[in-house]
Amino acid sequence: MPNTGRGVTMKKTICDDALRLDMTELRRLGLLQRTERHGIVLRWRRGEQVIARMYCALRSLSASAALLRLSYDISETSRESKGFDYEILLVKSKCYFGGVRDWFMCPLSKEGRPCGRRCRVLYLPHGAQYFGCRLCYELTYESRQRHRNRFYEGIAKPWDKRDKAREKLLRARKPKTMRKLAERIWQADMAIKQYCREQRMA
Ligand SMILES: [Zn+2]
């Protein structure tokens, strides 16, 4: 399997913007259950529109390993597109309570080292060329990012503002400045209380 050109250069893309190749979906489509070589076409949609399509074919290597061939085009400009055709190793592991589980082996390499991480979902972020695991692409989930933003806006920022205002209040001499700072502290207090109330309700 060639490793050239599969280095990762992208950072912190959001999962929701990437195409997902999900093992559960491949099983649902019947690709994993058959033993003879066969293929399917996967399509990704945004609303009604097909935004990407890919041909996938499975070739069994042994009882516990197979190669999944992926063929797809990526448009480089509005007129030109580049074709990609490569194989990804799939492995099976036995479940503790019986049955088997299928895994992709991440085909990317990072800083010259192959990743080879076992995963259930591979991603193709916007602007990338090869499917790879979430960690290689340093993907974050939007909800987690949103949570961080909410935390920052809701508590970290008012907390910081309140601390600064308290410090200034200790040194303040003019009644007007004191009133302004007291108002700032009160507002930050209210914002923090509001955030805490929302968190309890959530
Ligand atoms: Zn990886």
Side-chain angles (χ1 to χ4, degrees), residues 73-109:
D73 287 339
I74 289 178
S75 41
E76 295 192 310
T77 63
S78 56
R79 286 181 182 195
E80 277 174 66
S81 63
K82 192 175 165 193
F84 290 85
D85 194 326
Y86 56 97
E87 289 177 314
I88 287 178
L89 185 63
L90 261 55
V91 292
K92 288 181 194 297
S93 69
K94 283 206 170 74
C95 294
Y96 189 70
F97 294 107
V100 288
R101 224 168 143 77
D102 298 283
W103 303 91
F104 297 111
M105 301 291 281
C106 173
L108 296 178
S109 60

PDB file of all heavy atoms in Angstrom, residues 73-109:
ATOM      1  N   ASP A  73     -13.590  10.583  -7.104  1.00  0.00           N
ATOM      2  CA  ASP A  73     -12.980  11.773  -7.714  1.00  0.00           C
ATOM      3  C   ASP A  73     -13.133  12.944  -6.763  1.00  0.00           C
ATOM      4  O   ASP A  73     -14.143  13.066  -6.087  1.00  0.00           O
ATOM      5  CB  ASP A  73     -13.706  12.143  -9.016  1.00  0.00           C
ATOM      6  CG  ASP A  73     -13.380  11.157 -10.127  1.00  0.00           C
ATOM      7  OD1 ASP A  73     -12.337  10.471 -10.022  1.00  0.00           O
ATOM      8  OD2 ASP A  73     -14.178  11.054 -11.074  1.00  0.00           O
ATOM      9  N   ILE A  74     -12.126  13.792  -6.752  1.00  0.00           N
ATOM     10  CA  ILE A  74     -12.249  15.033  -5.981  1.00  0.00           C
ATOM     11  C   ILE A  74     -12.052  16.176  -6.958  1.00  0.00           C
ATOM     12  O   ILE A  74     -11.067  16.196  -7.704  1.00  0.00           O
ATOM     13  CB  ILE A  74     -11.205  15.098  -4.856  1.00  0.00           C
ATOM     14  CG1 ILE A  74     -11.579  14.089  -3.774  1.00  0.00           C
ATOM     15  CG2 ILE A  74     -11.115  16.499  -4.256  1.00  0.00           C
ATOM     16  CD1 ILE A  74     -10.599  14.023  -2.647  1.00  0.00           C
ATOM     17  N   SER A  75     -12.983  17.114  -6.983  1.00  0.00           N
ATOM     18  CA  SER A  75     -12.832  18.221  -7.921  1.00  0.00           C
ATOM     19  C   SER A  75     -11.838  19.230  -7.367  1.00  0.00           C
ATOM     20  O   SER A  75     -11.956  19.680  -6.220  1.00  0.00           O
ATOM     21  CB  SER A  75     -14.182  18.861  -8.219  1.00  0.00           C
ATOM     22  OG  SER A  75     -14.936  18.954  -7.047  1.00  0.00           O
ATOM     23  N   GLU A  76     -10.832  19.529  -8.194  1.00  0.00           N
ATOM     24  CA  GLU A  76      -9.789  20.465  -7.756  1.00  0.00           C
ATOM     25  C   GLU A  76     -10.170  21.882  -8.130  1.00  0.00           C
ATOM     26  O   GLU A  76      -9.915  22.818  -7.406  1.00  0.00           O
ATOM     27  CB  GLU A  76      -8.459  20.082  -8.388  1.00  0.00           C
ATOM     28  CG  GLU A  76      -7.995  18.718  -7.879  1.00  0.00           C
ATOM     29  CD  GLU A  76      -6.573  18.411  -8.229  1.00  0.00           C
ATOM     30  OE1 GLU A  76      -6.211  18.564  -9.394  1.00  0.00           O
ATOM     31  OE2 GLU A  76      -5.832  17.998  -7.323  1.00  0.00           O
ATOM     32  N   THR A  77     -10.768  22.025  -9.287  1.00  0.00           N
ATOM     33  CA  THR A  77     -11.356  23.312  -9.665  1.00  0.00           C
ATOM     34  C   THR A  77     -12.772  22.959 -10.115  1.00  0.00           C
ATOM     35  O   THR A  77     -13.164  21.802 -10.051  1.00  0.00           O
ATOM     36  CB  THR A  77     -10.588  23.965 -10.830  1.00  0.00           C
ATOM     37  OG1 THR A  77     -10.695  23.101 -11.962  1.00  0.00           O
ATOM     38  CG2 THR A  77      -9.141  24.205 -10.499  1.00  0.00           C
ATOM     39  N   SER A  78     -13.508  23.930 -10.581  1.00  0.00           N
ATOM     40  CA  SER A  78     -14.872  23.616 -10.992  1.00  0.00           C
ATOM     41  C   SER A  78     -14.885  22.726 -12.240  1.00  0.00           C
ATOM     42  O   SER A  78     -15.866  22.062 -12.538  1.00  0.00           O
ATOM     43  CB  SER A  78     -15.649  24.903 -11.236  1.00  0.00           C
ATOM     44  OG  SER A  78     -14.961  25.682 -12.185  1.00  0.00           O
ATOM     45  N   ARG A  79     -13.760  22.685 -12.991  1.00  0.00           N
ATOM     46  CA  ARG A  79     -13.732  21.879 -14.215  1.00  0.00           C
ATOM     47  C   ARG A  79     -12.911  20.616 -14.068  1.00  0.00           C
ATOM     48  O   ARG A  79     -13.196  19.607 -14.682  1.00  0.00           O
ATOM     49  CB  ARG A  79     -13.168  22.696 -15.371  1.00  0.00           C
ATOM     50  CG  ARG A  79     -14.170  23.713 -15.867  1.00  0.00           C
ATOM     51  CD  ARG A  79     -13.628  24.498 -16.997  1.00  0.00           C
ATOM     52  NE  ARG A  79     -14.582  25.502 -17.436  1.00  0.00           N
ATOM     53  CZ  ARG A  79     -14.508  26.133 -18.568  1.00  0.00           C
ATOM     54  NH1 ARG A  79     -13.541  25.859 -19.391  1.00  0.00           N
ATOM     55  NH2 ARG A  79     -15.404  27.044 -18.894  1.00  0.00           N
ATOM     56  N   GLU A  80     -11.843  20.694 -13.286  1.00  0.00           N
ATOM     57  CA  GLU A  80     -10.937  19.550 -13.208  1.00  0.00           C
ATOM     58  C   GLU A  80     -11.147  18.757 -11.936  1.00  0.00           C
ATOM     59  O   GLU A  80     -11.413  19.313 -10.873  1.00  0.00           O
ATOM     60  CB  GLU A  80      -9.484  20.054 -13.205  1.00  0.00           C
ATOM     61  CG  GLU A  80      -8.954  20.325 -14.586  1.00  0.00           C
ATOM     62  CD  GLU A  80      -7.577  20.949 -14.521  1.00  0.00           C
ATOM     63  OE1 GLU A  80      -6.655  20.254 -14.072  1.00  0.00           O
ATOM     64  OE2 GLU A  80      -7.464  22.132 -14.859  1.00  0.00           O
ATOM     65  N   SER A  81     -11.018  17.446 -12.095  1.00  0.00           N
ATOM     66  CA  SER A  81     -11.071  16.632 -10.881  1.00  0.00           C
ATOM     67  C   SER A  81      -9.972  15.572 -10.946  1.00  0.00           C
ATOM     68  O   SER A  81      -9.477  15.231 -12.021  1.00  0.00           O
ATOM     69  CB  SER A  81     -12.450  15.996 -10.719  1.00  0.00           C
ATOM     70  OG  SER A  81     -12.690  15.132 -11.787  1.00  0.00           O
ATOM     71  N   LYS A  82      -9.592  15.081  -9.779  1.00  0.00           N
ATOM     72  CA  LYS A  82      -8.514  14.100  -9.691  1.00  0.00           C
ATOM     73  C   LYS A  82      -9.092  12.801  -9.147  1.00  0.00           C
ATOM     74  O   LYS A  82      -9.863  12.837  -8.177  1.00  0.00           O
ATOM     75  CB  LYS A  82      -7.441  14.662  -8.753  1.00  0.00           C
ATOM     76  CG  LYS A  82      -6.146  13.910  -8.773  1.00  0.00           C
ATOM     77  CD  LYS A  82      -5.119  14.626  -7.905  1.00  0.00           C
ATOM     78  CE  LYS A  82      -3.940  13.731  -7.618  1.00  0.00           C
ATOM     79  NZ  LYS A  82      -3.087  14.244  -6.567  1.00  0.00           N
ATOM     80  N   GLY A  83      -8.714  11.701  -9.763  1.00  0.00           N
ATOM     81  CA  GLY A  83      -9.252  10.413  -9.340  1.00  0.00           C
ATOM     82  C   GLY A  83      -8.384   9.769  -8.259  1.00  0.00           C
ATOM     83  O   GLY A  83      -7.165   9.868  -8.289  1.00  0.00           O
ATOM     84  N   PHE A  84      -9.015   9.120  -7.307  1.00  0.00           N
ATOM     85  CA  PHE A  84      -8.294   8.396  -6.249  1.00  0.00           C
ATOM     86  C   PHE A  84      -8.757   6.947  -6.240  1.00  0.00           C
ATOM     87  O   PHE A  84      -9.950   6.684  -6.390  1.00  0.00           O
ATOM     88  CB  PHE A  84      -8.545   9.040  -4.881  1.00  0.00           C
ATOM     89  CG  PHE A  84      -7.892  10.377  -4.761  1.00  0.00           C
ATOM     90  CD1 PHE A  84      -8.530  11.517  -5.216  1.00  0.00           C
ATOM     91  CD2 PHE A  84      -6.613  10.480  -4.243  1.00  0.00           C
ATOM     92  CE1 PHE A  84      -7.903  12.747  -5.164  1.00  0.00           C
ATOM     93  CE2 PHE A  84      -5.985  11.710  -4.175  1.00  0.00           C
ATOM     94  CZ  PHE A  84      -6.629  12.854  -4.637  1.00  0.00           C
ATOM     95  N   ASP A  85      -7.820   6.056  -6.094  1.00  0.00           N
ATOM     96  CA  ASP A  85      -8.142   4.634  -6.117  1.00  0.00           C
ATOM     97  C   ASP A  85      -7.113   3.924  -5.240  1.00  0.00           C
ATOM     98  O   ASP A  85      -5.938   3.868  -5.597  1.00  0.00           O
ATOM     99  CB  ASP A  85      -8.062   4.139  -7.573  1.00  0.00           C
ATOM    100  CG  ASP A  85      -8.695   2.767  -7.741  1.00  0.00           C
ATOM    101  OD1 ASP A  85      -8.602   1.955  -6.800  1.00  0.00           O
ATOM    102  OD2 ASP A  85      -9.285   2.537  -8.807  1.00  0.00           O
ATOM    103  N   TYR A  86      -7.506   3.476  -4.087  1.00  0.00           N
ATOM    104  CA  TYR A  86      -6.566   2.815  -3.186  1.00  0.00           C
ATOM    105  C   TYR A  86      -7.310   1.857  -2.266  1.00  0.00           C
ATOM    106  O   TYR A  86      -8.546   1.835  -2.253  1.00  0.00           O
ATOM    107  CB  TYR A  86      -5.762   3.841  -2.365  1.00  0.00           C
ATOM    108  CG  TYR A  86      -6.621   4.792  -1.563  1.00  0.00           C
ATOM    109  CD1 TYR A  86      -6.890   4.563  -0.210  1.00  0.00           C
ATOM    110  CD2 TYR A  86      -7.178   5.925  -2.163  1.00  0.00           C
ATOM    111  CE1 TYR A  86      -7.684   5.437   0.516  1.00  0.00           C
ATOM    112  CE2 TYR A  86      -7.976   6.801  -1.437  1.00  0.00           C
ATOM    113  CZ  TYR A  86      -8.218   6.546  -0.103  1.00  0.00           C
ATOM    114  OH  TYR A  86      -9.017   7.407   0.613  1.00  0.00           O
ATOM    115  N   GLU A  87      -6.549   1.061  -1.531  1.00  0.00           N
ATOM    116  CA  GLU A  87      -7.178   0.060  -0.680  1.00  0.00           C
ATOM    117  C   GLU A  87      -6.897   0.336   0.794  1.00  0.00           C
ATOM    118  O   GLU A  87      -5.848   0.859   1.156  1.00  0.00           O
ATOM    119  CB  GLU A  87      -6.669  -1.329  -1.056  1.00  0.00           C
ATOM    120  CG  GLU A  87      -7.210  -1.790  -2.389  1.00  0.00           C
ATOM    121  CD  GLU A  87      -6.651  -3.130  -2.799  1.00  0.00           C
ATOM    122  OE1 GLU A  87      -5.435  -3.334  -2.690  1.00  0.00           O
ATOM    123  OE2 GLU A  87      -7.440  -3.987  -3.239  1.00  0.00           O
ATOM    124  N   ILE A  88      -7.881  -0.033   1.589  1.00  0.00           N
ATOM    125  CA  ILE A  88      -7.755   0.124   3.046  1.00  0.00           C
ATOM    126  C   ILE A  88      -7.916  -1.257   3.672  1.00  0.00           C
ATOM    127  O   ILE A  88      -8.787  -2.038   3.247  1.00  0.00           O
ATOM    128  CB  ILE A  88      -8.860   1.071   3.563  1.00  0.00           C
ATOM    129  CG1 ILE A  88      -8.537   2.518   3.157  1.00  0.00           C
ATOM    130  CG2 ILE A  88      -9.028   0.992   5.062  1.00  0.00           C
ATOM    131  CD1 ILE A  88      -9.579   3.510   3.574  1.00  0.00           C
ATOM    132  N   LEU A  89      -7.119  -1.543   4.644  1.00  0.00           N
ATOM    133  CA  LEU A  89      -7.207  -2.845   5.303  1.00  0.00           C
ATOM    134  C   LEU A  89      -8.356  -2.865   6.309  1.00  0.00           C
ATOM    135  O   LEU A  89      -8.525  -1.919   7.090  1.00  0.00           O
ATOM    136  CB  LEU A  89      -5.875  -3.143   6.007  1.00  0.00           C
ATOM    137  CG  LEU A  89      -5.728  -4.501   6.661  1.00  0.00           C
ATOM    138  CD1 LEU A  89      -5.797  -5.633   5.634  1.00  0.00           C
ATOM    139  CD2 LEU A  89      -4.413  -4.583   7.432  1.00  0.00           C
ATOM    140  N   LEU A  90      -9.129  -3.929   6.238  1.00  0.00           N
ATOM    141  CA  LEU A  90     -10.222  -4.135   7.207  1.00  0.00           C
ATOM    142  C   LEU A  90      -9.890  -5.363   8.047  1.00  0.00           C
ATOM    143  O   LEU A  90      -9.417  -6.367   7.488  1.00  0.00           O
ATOM    144  CB  LEU A  90     -11.536  -4.420   6.461  1.00  0.00           C
ATOM    145  CG  LEU A  90     -12.526  -3.281   6.257  1.00  0.00           C
ATOM    146  CD1 LEU A  90     -11.886  -2.109   5.572  1.00  0.00           C
ATOM    147  CD2 LEU A  90     -13.704  -3.760   5.444  1.00  0.00           C
ATOM    148  N   VAL A  91     -10.103  -5.271   9.330  1.00  0.00           N
ATOM    149  CA  VAL A  91      -9.842  -6.442  10.182  1.00  0.00           C
ATOM    150  C   VAL A  91     -11.075  -6.744  11.023  1.00  0.00           C
ATOM    151  O   VAL A  91     -11.908  -5.876  11.266  1.00  0.00           O
ATOM    152  CB  VAL A  91      -8.607  -6.240  11.111  1.00  0.00           C
ATOM    153  CG1 VAL A  91      -7.326  -6.186  10.311  1.00  0.00           C
ATOM    154  CG2 VAL A  91      -8.766  -4.997  11.963  1.00  0.00           C
ATOM    155  N   LYS A  92     -11.164  -7.989  11.438  1.00  0.00           N
ATOM    156  CA  LYS A  92     -12.281  -8.393  12.294  1.00  0.00           C
ATOM    157  C   LYS A  92     -11.741  -8.722  13.679  1.00  0.00           C
ATOM    158  O   LYS A  92     -10.633  -9.234  13.814  1.00  0.00           O
ATOM    159  CB  LYS A  92     -12.943  -9.665  11.733  1.00  0.00           C
ATOM    160  CG  LYS A  92     -13.748  -9.422  10.474  1.00  0.00           C
ATOM    161  CD  LYS A  92     -14.389 -10.731  10.019  1.00  0.00           C
ATOM    162  CE  LYS A  92     -14.907 -10.632   8.609  1.00  0.00           C
ATOM    163  NZ  LYS A  92     -15.970  -9.652   8.417  1.00  0.00           N
ATOM    164  N   SER A  93     -12.534  -8.414  14.674  1.00  0.00           N
ATOM    165  CA  SER A  93     -12.155  -8.854  16.021  1.00  0.00           C
ATOM    166  C   SER A  93     -13.357  -9.558  16.633  1.00  0.00           C
ATOM    167  O   SER A  93     -14.501  -9.231  16.307  1.00  0.00           O
ATOM    168  CB  SER A  93     -11.725  -7.656  16.875  1.00  0.00           C
ATOM    169  OG  SER A  93     -12.837  -6.852  17.154  1.00  0.00           O
ATOM    170  N   LYS A  94     -13.072 -10.524  17.493  1.00  0.00           N
ATOM    171  CA  LYS A  94     -14.163 -11.254  18.138  1.00  0.00           C
ATOM    172  C   LYS A  94     -14.730 -10.427  19.285  1.00  0.00           C
ATOM    173  O   LYS A  94     -13.983  -9.817  20.047  1.00  0.00           O
ATOM    174  CB  LYS A  94     -13.645 -12.584  18.688  1.00  0.00           C
ATOM    175  CG  LYS A  94     -13.446 -13.632  17.609  1.00  0.00           C
ATOM    176  CD  LYS A  94     -13.574 -15.039  18.214  1.00  0.00           C
ATOM    177  CE  LYS A  94     -13.616 -16.100  17.142  1.00  0.00           C
ATOM    178  NZ  LYS A  94     -12.310 -16.336  16.506  1.00  0.00           N
ATOM    179  N   CYS A  95     -16.041 -10.409  19.399  1.00  0.00           N
ATOM    180  CA  CYS A  95     -16.650  -9.696  20.519  1.00  0.00           C
ATOM    181  C   CYS A  95     -16.652 -10.587  21.751  1.00  0.00           C
ATOM    182  O   CYS A  95     -16.722 -11.805  21.633  1.00  0.00           O
ATOM    183  CB  CYS A  95     -18.085  -9.295  20.200  1.00  0.00           C
ATOM    184  SG  CYS A  95     -18.184  -8.102  18.904  1.00  0.00           S
ATOM    185  N   TYR A  96     -16.620  -9.959  22.889  1.00  0.00           N
ATOM    186  CA  TYR A  96     -16.598 -10.693  24.161  1.00  0.00           C
ATOM    187  C   TYR A  96     -17.824 -11.595  24.298  1.00  0.00           C
ATOM    188  O   TYR A  96     -17.746 -12.715  24.766  1.00  0.00           O
ATOM    189  CB  TYR A  96     -16.525  -9.686  25.309  1.00  0.00           C
ATOM    190  CG  TYR A  96     -16.290 -10.313  26.646  1.00  0.00           C
ATOM    191  CD1 TYR A  96     -15.049 -10.885  26.938  1.00  0.00           C
ATOM    192  CD2 TYR A  96     -17.289 -10.340  27.614  1.00  0.00           C
ATOM    193  CE1 TYR A  96     -14.822 -11.464  28.165  1.00  0.00           C
ATOM    194  CE2 TYR A  96     -17.071 -10.920  28.846  1.00  0.00           C
ATOM    195  CZ  TYR A  96     -15.841 -11.483  29.126  1.00  0.00           C
ATOM    196  OH  TYR A  96     -15.618 -12.060  30.337  1.00  0.00           O
ATOM    197  N   PHE A  97     -18.975 -11.077  23.869  1.00  0.00           N
ATOM    198  CA  PHE A  97     -20.226 -11.839  24.008  1.00  0.00           C
ATOM    199  C   PHE A  97     -20.617 -12.545  22.706  1.00  0.00           C
ATOM    200  O   PHE A  97     -21.782 -12.770  22.429  1.00  0.00           O
ATOM    201  CB  PHE A  97     -21.364 -10.915  24.460  1.00  0.00           C
ATOM    202  CG  PHE A  97     -21.150 -10.376  25.834  1.00  0.00           C
ATOM    203  CD1 PHE A  97     -20.797  -9.048  26.024  1.00  0.00           C
ATOM    204  CD2 PHE A  97     -21.266 -11.200  26.944  1.00  0.00           C
ATOM    205  CE1 PHE A  97     -20.577  -8.543  27.292  1.00  0.00           C
ATOM    206  CE2 PHE A  97     -21.051 -10.709  28.225  1.00  0.00           C
ATOM    207  CZ  PHE A  97     -20.704  -9.380  28.402  1.00  0.00           C
ATOM    208  N   GLY A  98     -19.659 -12.878  21.876  1.00  0.00           N
ATOM    209  CA  GLY A  98     -19.938 -13.564  20.620  1.00  0.00           C
ATOM    210  C   GLY A  98     -20.079 -12.593  19.467  1.00  0.00           C
ATOM    211  O   GLY A  98     -20.249 -11.401  19.658  1.00  0.00           O
ATOM    212  N   GLY A  99     -19.996 -13.118  18.253  1.00  0.00           N
ATOM    213  CA  GLY A  99     -20.085 -12.286  17.063  1.00  0.00           C
ATOM    214  C   GLY A  99     -18.755 -11.625  16.752  1.00  0.00           C
ATOM    215  O   GLY A  99     -17.792 -11.761  17.516  1.00  0.00           O
ATOM    216  N   VAL A 100     -18.710 -10.938  15.630  1.00  0.00           N
ATOM    217  CA  VAL A 100     -17.461 -10.254  15.255  1.00  0.00           C
ATOM    218  C   VAL A 100     -17.724  -8.787  14.997  1.00  0.00           C
ATOM    219  O   VAL A 100     -18.856  -8.384  14.747  1.00  0.00           O
ATOM    220  CB  VAL A 100     -16.806 -10.864  13.982  1.00  0.00           C
ATOM    221  CG1 VAL A 100     -16.204 -12.217  14.249  1.00  0.00           C
ATOM    222  CG2 VAL A 100     -17.797 -10.909  12.831  1.00  0.00           C
ATOM    223  N   ARG A 101     -16.666  -8.016  15.077  1.00  0.00           N
ATOM    224  CA  ARG A 101     -16.749  -6.591  14.821  1.00  0.00           C
ATOM    225  C   ARG A 101     -15.733  -6.256  13.732  1.00  0.00           C
ATOM    226  O   ARG A 101     -14.608  -6.761  13.750  1.00  0.00           O
ATOM    227  CB  ARG A 101     -16.365  -5.858  16.110  1.00  0.00           C
ATOM    228  CG  ARG A 101     -17.251  -4.700  16.453  1.00  0.00           C
ATOM    229  CD  ARG A 101     -16.935  -4.285  17.875  1.00  0.00           C
ATOM    230  NE  ARG A 101     -17.004  -2.835  17.997  1.00  0.00           N
ATOM    231  CZ  ARG A 101     -18.145  -2.148  18.075  1.00  0.00           C
ATOM    232  NH1 ARG A 101     -19.292  -2.771  18.027  1.00  0.00           N
ATOM    233  NH2 ARG A 101     -18.137  -0.843  18.202  1.00  0.00           N
ATOM    234  N   ASP A 102     -16.138  -5.429  12.776  1.00  0.00           N
ATOM    235  CA  ASP A 102     -15.227  -5.038  11.695  1.00  0.00           C
ATOM    236  C   ASP A 102     -14.615  -3.676  11.982  1.00  0.00           C
ATOM    237  O   ASP A 102     -15.273  -2.797  12.544  1.00  0.00           O
ATOM    238  CB  ASP A 102     -15.999  -4.957  10.374  1.00  0.00           C
ATOM    239  CG  ASP A 102     -16.578  -6.293   9.989  1.00  0.00           C
ATOM    240  OD1 ASP A 102     -15.816  -7.136   9.510  1.00  0.00           O
ATOM    241  OD2 ASP A 102     -17.794  -6.501  10.213  1.00  0.00           O
ATOM    242  N   TRP A 103     -13.377  -3.524  11.568  1.00  0.00           N
ATOM    243  CA  TRP A 103     -12.660  -2.257  11.814  1.00  0.00           C
ATOM    244  C   TRP A 103     -11.930  -1.815  10.558  1.00  0.00           C
ATOM    245  O   TRP A 103     -11.409  -2.650   9.830  1.00  0.00           O
ATOM    246  CB  TRP A 103     -11.598  -2.441  12.909  1.00  0.00           C
ATOM    247  CG  TRP A 103     -12.101  -2.939  14.200  1.00  0.00           C
ATOM    248  CD1 TRP A 103     -12.200  -4.245  14.583  1.00  0.00           C
ATOM    249  CD2 TRP A 103     -12.576  -2.160  15.301  1.00  0.00           C
ATOM    250  NE1 TRP A 103     -12.701  -4.321  15.852  1.00  0.00           N
ATOM    251  CE2 TRP A 103     -12.945  -3.055  16.321  1.00  0.00           C
ATOM    252  CE3 TRP A 103     -12.706  -0.788  15.528  1.00  0.00           C
ATOM    253  CZ2 TRP A 103     -13.449  -2.633  17.545  1.00  0.00           C
ATOM    254  CZ3 TRP A 103     -13.204  -0.362  16.743  1.00  0.00           C
ATOM    255  CH2 TRP A 103     -13.572  -1.284  17.732  1.00  0.00           C
ATOM    256  N   PHE A 104     -11.847  -0.521  10.357  1.00  0.00           N
ATOM    257  CA  PHE A 104     -10.939   0.013   9.354  1.00  0.00           C
ATOM    258  C   PHE A 104      -9.587   0.177  10.043  1.00  0.00           C
ATOM    259  O   PHE A 104      -9.530   0.521  11.216  1.00  0.00           O
ATOM    260  CB  PHE A 104     -11.347   1.436   8.928  1.00  0.00           C
ATOM    261  CG  PHE A 104     -12.685   1.555   8.277  1.00  0.00           C
ATOM    262  CD1 PHE A 104     -13.734   2.189   8.930  1.00  0.00           C
ATOM    263  CD2 PHE A 104     -12.898   1.071   6.993  1.00  0.00           C
ATOM    264  CE1 PHE A 104     -14.972   2.346   8.319  1.00  0.00           C
ATOM    265  CE2 PHE A 104     -14.131   1.219   6.376  1.00  0.00           C
ATOM    266  CZ  PHE A 104     -15.174   1.850   7.044  1.00  0.00           C
ATOM    267  N   MET A 105      -8.511  -0.010   9.278  1.00  0.00           N
ATOM    268  CA  MET A 105      -7.193   0.377   9.778  1.00  0.00           C
ATOM    269  C   MET A 105      -6.877   1.697   9.087  1.00  0.00           C
ATOM    270  O   MET A 105      -6.807   1.744   7.851  1.00  0.00           O
ATOM    271  CB  MET A 105      -6.123  -0.656   9.386  1.00  0.00           C
ATOM    272  CG  MET A 105      -6.404  -2.051   9.914  1.00  0.00           C
ATOM    273  SD  MET A 105      -6.241  -2.195  11.691  1.00  0.00           S
ATOM    274  CE  MET A 105      -4.464  -2.297  11.846  1.00  0.00           C
ATOM    275  N   CYS A 106      -6.699   2.742   9.858  1.00  0.00           N
ATOM    276  CA  CYS A 106      -6.479   4.068   9.266  1.00  0.00           C
ATOM    277  C   CYS A 106      -5.258   4.029   8.335  1.00  0.00           C
ATOM    278  O   CYS A 106      -4.179   3.626   8.739  1.00  0.00           O
ATOM    279  CB  CYS A 106      -6.290   5.118  10.357  1.00  0.00           C
ATOM    280  SG  CYS A 106      -5.816   6.720   9.680  1.00  0.00           S
ATOM    281  N   PRO A 107      -5.419   4.447   7.069  1.00  0.00           N
ATOM    282  CA  PRO A 107      -4.311   4.335   6.101  1.00  0.00           C
ATOM    283  C   PRO A 107      -3.367   5.536   6.082  1.00  0.00           C
ATOM    284  O   PRO A 107      -2.417   5.542   5.304  1.00  0.00           O
ATOM    285  CB  PRO A 107      -5.052   4.234   4.769  1.00  0.00           C
ATOM    286  CG  PRO A 107      -6.274   5.062   4.969  1.00  0.00           C
ATOM    287  CD  PRO A 107      -6.639   4.977   6.433  1.00  0.00           C
ATOM    288  N   LEU A 108      -3.625   6.521   6.913  1.00  0.00           N
ATOM    289  CA  LEU A 108      -2.807   7.731   6.851  1.00  0.00           C
ATOM    290  C   LEU A 108      -1.487   7.575   7.594  1.00  0.00           C
ATOM    291  O   LEU A 108      -1.325   6.664   8.405  1.00  0.00           O
ATOM    292  CB  LEU A 108      -3.578   8.914   7.445  1.00  0.00           C
ATOM    293  CG  LEU A 108      -4.847   9.336   6.709  1.00  0.00           C
ATOM    294  CD1 LEU A 108      -5.517  10.475   7.433  1.00  0.00           C
ATOM    295  CD2 LEU A 108      -4.551   9.718   5.275  1.00  0.00           C
ATOM    296  N   SER A 109      -0.587   8.490   7.295  1.00  0.00           N
ATOM    297  CA  SER A 109       0.645   8.527   8.081  1.00  0.00           C
ATOM    298  C   SER A 109       0.832   9.946   8.579  1.00  0.00           C
ATOM    299  O   SER A 109       0.451  10.896   7.910  1.00  0.00           O
ATOM    300  CB  SER A 109       1.842   8.080   7.240  1.00  0.00           C
ATOM    301  OG  SER A 109       1.985   8.926   6.132  1.00  0.00           O
TER     302      SER A 109
END
